[in-house]
Amino acid sequence: MIPRLNILIGVVWLGSLLFLTLAHAQNNGPQVGYVYPAGCKQGTTVTVIVGGRQMPEVSAVYFSGTGLTAKVIGQEKPLSQEDRVKLRDELTELKKKDAPPSSGDRIKEIDLLLAQVQRGAVTPALQDTVMLEVTAAPDATIGRRDLRLLGKSGLSIPLVFMVGDLREVSFPSVSAITPRPAAGSSRAVAETLSGALSVTLPVVVNGQILPGETDRIRFAGRRGEKLVVAVHARALIPYLADAVPGWFQAAVSLLDAEGRELAYADDFRYQADPVLAYQLPGDGDYTLVVQDSLHRGREDFVYRVAIGELPFISGMFPLGGVPGREIDFALNGWNLPAQVRHTRLPAEEGVRSLDVGRCASATGKVEVAVDDLPECGETESNDTNERAQVITLPMIVNGRIERVGDEDWFQFKAKAGEALVVDVMARRLRSPLDGTLQVFDPRGGVLAANDDNDDKADGLSTHHADPRVPFTVPEDGTYRVRLADAQHRGGRDYTYRLRVGAPRPDFALRMVPSSATVRPGGSAKVTVFAMRYDGFAGEITLALHDAPAGYRLSKAIIPGNADRVELTLNTPKEAAGDVVALEMDGSAGIAGAGVQHRAVPADDRMQAFFYRHLVPACEWQVGVRKGGK
C-alpha cells in the first residue's frame, strides 16, 4: 500500500504543478495559488500570505477598485534538496569534537530548519510564499476584489480578496513562512475541543484546512438566538485543477457544551459553500467545527466563515424588472431587517448586482435581471393544462414553484412559421429551481422540451440548470408551456423569470487572460470568446474603451459565426513600469440597431483534472515591464 500511496501523492503533486503551468501559460507573472487570510475588515491592517510558485522579487501588489493598499514585507522559498544536503553537511562538520563552542547557535538554527522540513513539506505548487501588509480604508467598498502580485517576471492572475464590515480573527497561517505544526504545538492544541479558538459574535473567522484537520471555534450563545453560519470557501477559489470535485468542500457542525452535534451543513442547496441557520436552545458555550467533508486539505483550502445573528437572504421575489423602475422585493431568509426592500433598478439591461446593505456579510452578492420586455406575475392556480394562464407575447412572467410537485402552465396564441423562444432565468440568479420545460402543440402533443441549457458566460456554474427551448411554430393555434422543478422540489425561494417571445439575437464577451505582462512598446496575446444567443451570427468589432494613449488592439474583429478570436494588445514605449486597468467593448449591428457590450475579463481555469471554465475577474490589468526586458 505504501508504494501506491506514494505514487498517488506524486500524481497529485504533478497535477498541481501541471495546473499552475497551464493556468499561467497565458500569463508569465508569479504563479499564485492562494491568499490567507482572504479578506479583512474595513479600517484595519492585516498580515497576509500569498502562496504559489515562481514568485521571484515580488515588488508590488495591485487591487481592483479603491480603498485597499498593500506592501511586501517578506518573502521566502522553501529549502531545495541541494540546500538540505548542504545544511546536513554543515551540521556534520559543526558537531565534530573540534568544533568551536560558538557553533551551538548555528547547530540549533540548522536543527530547526531541518525539523520543519521533516514535519512535512508544503504542497510543491504552493511552496513559494510572499508576506504582505494589507490596509483597508474605513470607507473601502464591501465585497470582492482582485489581488495581483507584480514580480520580476510580470503580473500574476488574480486571487479573490474580500472586504467586510464585521470584526475578523484568523487561525495561524500554514505556509513556507509559517510551517506545518508539530504535535503539541499551539495550533495543534487549538484543534481540540478544549482548546478551540474563542471568539465573540458577530465575527468573521479565517482558516486553512490541512489533510484530515478540523478547526474549532468556540463562542457564547443566547437562548433563542437565530444563529447564521455562512462559509466562503469555493467562493474564494472556485476551481482546483488537481482536486475532486474541484474545490474545497467545506462542512460545518454546531456542537453544544457537551460536544453533542446540534446541526450540520456541507452545502447550501445547489451551492458548495455551506450555510447553517439554527435557533440556539439555551444560554451557554457552543463550538463550530469546520473541516473538509472529504477529509482532504492543504494550504489552499482557505475559508472565511461569518458567524452571528446575521441577516441572510435565501431568496427574493421578483428576480428582476424593468430598467430604472422602482420595485419592492419580498425577501426570504433569516434575521432580515424587513420583508420588503424598496429600490430602483439599474438603467442598463442585463444581469446587475443589487446593493443588499447589511445582508452582504453573510449573503454575498445578489443579482437581478433587468429587461425592457412587458412583464406580468404568475397567477395561481395555473398548475394544470386546463388552468393554464393566458399570456400575450412577448412576455416575461415572474413566478415561483411554490410547493413540492407544483407545476406552472401558460398558454398563448401563435401563427405558423413564427420563431419563438421559451427561456427560464432562475439558477443564474441564485434561485434553487432546477427548471424543466415542455412546449405542447394545439393538439396536446409535446413539441419541444429541455432540462438544462449550457451557458458558457456563466463560468462559475457547474450545473447549468436553466432550461431553454427555441422552436418554430408549425401551425396556427394555442400553445402551452409547462414549467416544473426537475427534482420535484418547491418553496417560496423557488422563483423564476420565464420569457416567451421572438428570438432576441445578442452576444456576450469574455476575454482571457485577465492579467497580461508586456515590454514597453511590445504586445500581448488576448483571446476573446463570443457567446452568441438566439441565432446571432454577425461580425463583432472590438475596441479599447477610454484607454491611455498608445494602447491599441490589432485584428480586433470576431468574424461572423466564429466563437472566438486571438488578437494583439500593443503598448506604448513610454509605459515602462505602468500597471493599468483597461476595458474592451464589442459592437455589432443587430436588427438594424447598434449593440455594444463590455468584454468581461476572465481566466481559463481547470476543474478536477479535466473540465475548463471561464472564471470572471473584476478588472483587466496590464503590466508593462521596466527596462524593456
Side-chain angles (χ1 to χ4, degrees), residues 43 95 127 131 301 305 430 520 549:
K95 288 185 176 181
Q127 64 183 358
M131 186 176 291
F301 277 41
V305 55
R430 293 179 40 145

Side-chain angles (χ1 to χ4, degrees), residues 411-538:
Q411 60 177 307
F412 53 88
K413 293 186 179 297
K415 294 186 176 296
E418 280 188 273
L420 294 178
V421 173
V422 184
D423 181 76
V424 173
M425 285 199 76
R427 188 63 63 86
R428 286 170 287 177
L429 298 173
R430 293 179 40 145
S431 168
L433 178 68
D434 181 1
T436 181
L437 279 174
Q438 289 178 302
V439 178
F440 296 85
D441 64 25
R443 289 178 297 281
V446 176
L447 179 63
N450 183 249
D451 184 4
D452 299 332
N453 180 65
D454 188 20
D455 184 356
K456 294 190 182 301
D458 188 15
L460 294 177
S461 178
T462 55
H463 179 196
H464 295 261
D466 288 343
R468 181 178 180 275
V469 175
F471 69 100
T472 300
V473 178
E475 60 181 295
D476 293 358
T478 298
Y479 291 77
R480 288 174 171 79
V481 170
R482 172 185 174 271
L483 172 61
D485 184 81
Q487 302 180 48
H488 306 289
R489 298 174 180 172
R492 287 185 55 80
D493 291 344
Y494 285 67
T495 50
Y496 62 82
R497 282 170 67 83
L498 172 73
R499 173 172 69 93
V500 186
R504 305 183 78 191
D506 205 350
F507 64 93
L509 300 173
R510 297 291 183 269
M511 50 150 300
V512 175
S514 69
S515 302
T517 305
V518 296
R519 302 185 311 273
S523 61
K525 297 294 184 182
V526 178
T527 301
V528 181
F529 294 84
M531 292 77 181
R532 298 175 179 272
Y533 301 109
D534 285 0
F536 172 66

Side-chain angles (χ1 to χ4, degrees), residues 7-74:
I7 291 172
L8 177 60
I9 292 172
V11 169
V12 171
W13 284 8
L14 181 60
S16 301
L17 295 172
L18 176 60
F19 160 66
L20 284 177
T21 300
L22 291 172
H24 292 269
Q26 316 160 65
N27 183 285
N28 52 6
Q31 298 186 11
V32 293
Y34 72 93
V35 55
Y36 180 76
C40 67
K41 181 179 183 289
Q42 294 168 310
T44 63
T45 297
V46 295
T47 299
V48 167
I49 289 176
V50 180
R53 278 182 61 83
Q54 298 180 11
M55 299 198 293
E57 300 180 25
V58 171
S59 58
V61 185
Y62 290 89
F63 292 98
S64 60
T66 59
L68 284 179
T69 58
K71 61 181 179 181
V72 179
I73 59 174

Side-chain angles (χ1 to χ4, degrees), residues 62 150 516-523 547-552 569-580 582 622-629:
Y62 290 89
L150 179 64
T517 305
V518 296
R519 302 185 311 273
S523 61
Y551 288 86
R552 57 186 178 82
L569 170 70
N570 299 288
T571 62
K573 291 182 179 180
E574 58 273 17
D578 290 351
V579 173
V580 297
L582 300 178
V622 178
V624 183
R625 292 193 184 106
K626 294 181 180 180
K629 297 180 180 179

Side-chain angles (χ1 to χ4, degrees), residues 165-249:
D165 59 354
L166 295 178
R167 185 176 60 87
E168 300 203 6
V169 298
S170 300
F171 282 95
S173 62
V174 178
S175 66
I177 292 176
T178 56
R180 298 173 188 253
S185 68
S186 58
R187 181 175 172 89
V189 171
E191 290 157 12
T192 67
L193 183 59
S194 60
L197 179 67
S198 294
V199 299
T200 302
L201 305 187
V203 69
V204 170
V205 177
N206 296 279
Q208 284 173 288
I209 297 296
L210 295 181
E213 180 185 88
T214 59
D215 282 351
R216 297 175 180 269
I217 305 161
R218 173 173 287 181
F219 58 90
R222 306 186 315 273
R223 176 183 175 84
E225 185 174 3
K226 296 179 180 179
L227 184 73
V228 168
V229 175
V231 177
H232 283 171
R234 184 181 178 240
L236 303 176
I237 304 178
Y239 296 113
L240 296 171
D242 54 341
V244 178
W247 48 76
F248 166 26
Q249 184 66 61

